[in-house]
Amino acid sequence: ERNSLSKEIDMEEALMKMSDVATEAQLPIRTVYYLHQSGKGPKTVHLGRHLRVRRSDFESWIKAQTE
């Protein structure tokens, strides 16, 4: 039971690459970067020089876009 709980927590905090964001949102990757640069994209996390998006932030952003 403990393993299933830790897997649920890990999935909620899973980090997505910008290419994953583009694929799941069905947007061109350039659009995703434009939205990021203009402050209109999902909240990002910087890991060194890499950008990542928490799955929960992506889902919140998608929800806000469709309301």
Side-chain angles (χ1 to χ4, degrees), residues 16-44 51-53 58 61-62:
M16 302 171 68
K17 296 178 182 179
M18 297 300 269
S19 60
D20 298 332
V21 171
T23 299
E24 291 202 32
Q26 298 179 354
L27 293 170
I29 189 72
R30 291 181 64 130
T31 300
V32 172
Y33 279 107
Y34 171 78
L35 291 169
H36 166 69
Q37 290 173 346
S38 64
K40 297 177 183 176
K43 187 174 162 185
T44 58
L51 283 175
R52 297 292 185 261
V53 176
F58 172 76
W61 177 72
I62 287 290

